[in-house]
């Protein structure tokens, strides 16, 4: 779980559907300190349990260019 302050973090779970962390995780904090610009996040299966990105909460991830 990589929390970015102010960005929704639900882990593909309906239980956490409206969760928005108020702090960065240690990894994100280090990325920001190093100058990394975080431009987005991806869709994930519930808690990362499946090897495909087709969660029930938001549906499958699609490439906008296709």
């Amino acid at each position: 779980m990589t929390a970015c302050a102010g960005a929704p973090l639900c882990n593909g779970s309906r239980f956490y559907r409206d969760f928005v962390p108020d702090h960065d995780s240690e990894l994100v904090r280090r990325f920001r300190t190093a100058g990394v610009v975080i431009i987005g996040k991806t869709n994930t299966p519930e808690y990362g349990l499946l090897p495909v990105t087709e969660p029930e909460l938001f549906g499958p991830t699609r490439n906008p260019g296709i």
Side-chain angles (χ1 to χ4, degrees):
M1 173 160 52
T2 305
C4 293
L9 179 64
C10 67
N11 292 316
S13 171
R14 288 184 174 100
F15 183 75
Y16 288 109
R17 168 176 252 163
D18 299 319
F19 177 64
V20 178
D22 60 356
H23 65 281
D24 287 336
S25 67
E26 181 64 20
L27 178 62
V28 172
R29 187 190 67 74
R30 290 180 184 205
F31 280 161
R32 291 186 197 272
T33 300
V36 173
V37 177
I38 299 170
I39 58 172
K41 295 172 67 175
T42 189
N43 202 2
T44 60
E46 189 166 11
Y47 302 111
L49 295 175
L50 299 174
V52 295
T53 310
E54 298 179 357
E56 292 182 24
L57 183 58
F58 296 113
T61 299
R62 302 278 188 224
N63 183 333
I66 295 178

